[in-house]
Amino acid sequence: WIGLQGLKQIAREADEGRPSSELSRSLMNRIGVPDAAGVETFSYGAGKLEIAALATAVAESAQRGDESAIGILRAAGRELADMTVSLHKKLGIKGPASIAMSGGVLSAMEIVREEFKKQVEEKLHGTTFLEEKVSPTKGACTLLKTFMK
């Protein structure tokens, strides 16, 4: 999702006739193309993993202060939070949740993690976040115990 948003940013800048941002230049350099036309060609031939791998370039641009990249990472945090809140409701969990902060994006990208936490806390008051590594199996067992009560 993050890499795809970065590619969309390149297309927006090109469509609007704006100069390429630091993010766009970084992404074009990463995929080895000189301009937005090359990005279009790349996009049609790239697989999901190739596009997903561009998330690191977005994160690096955000660390260098690129506002577009920061916006993409914040949006990713909001998207993850929305999915988490929806799942919480769908499962019918009553009361606050305990959420393990694991996975590549949440572990590696502080902007995404902070936005995720902020959004979840606003929507699921009293949520606790587990920062230590928790195996998916342990998480599933904990969830099962919740439903057995």
Side-chain angles (χ1 to χ4, degrees):
W1 190 91
I2 293 170
L4 182 59
Q5 299 310 306
L7 295 176
K8 287 180 179 181
Q9 179 65 29
I10 295 170
R12 265 191 301 281
E13 290 170 1
D15 289 348
E16 295 170 5
R18 292 188 282 144
S20 295
S21 63
E22 195 280 332
L23 169 62
S24 294
R25 290 189 306 274
S26 176
L27 288 168
M28 288 187 284
N29 184 54
R30 181 73 52 104
I31 60 179
V33 299
D35 54 26
V39 172
E40 184 177 358
T41 302
F42 166 81
S43 297
Y44 288 124
K48 290 179 184 179
L49 291 178
E50 289 173 287
I51 292 174
L54 297 175
T56 56
V58 175
E60 290 163 1
S61 290
Q63 288 175 338
R64 289 189 293 272
D66 184 276
E67 290 299 321
S68 298
I70 292 168
I72 289 169
L73 296 183
R74 285 188 178 135
R78 289 189 297 274
E79 287 288 324
L80 287 171
D82 288 347
M83 287 187 274
T84 301
V85 170
S86 292
L87 181 60
H88 184 268
K89 290 177 182 176
K90 185 175 183 175
L91 293 174
I93 299 171
K94 304 293 183 212
S98 293
I99 298 173
M101 300 290 286
S102 63
V105 171
L106 286 175
S107 297
M109 298 181 188
E110 184 177 349
I111 294 170
V112 177
R113 183 174 53 252
E114 293 307 314
E115 187 67 26
F116 172 82
K117 287 173 74 172
K118 176 183 158 197
Q119 295 294 320
V120 170
E121 286 170 344
E122 286 177 8
K123 295 169 184 162
L124 299 176
H125 303 290
T127 297
T128 56
F129 297 95
L130 309 172
E131 300 285 344
E132 72 274 2
K133 293 198 181 240
V134 178
S135 78
T137 304
K138 184 176 180 181
C141 290
T142 302
L143 189 58
L144 181 60
K145 284 181 191 177
T146 301
F147 287 116
M148 294 179 72
K149 290 182 181 180

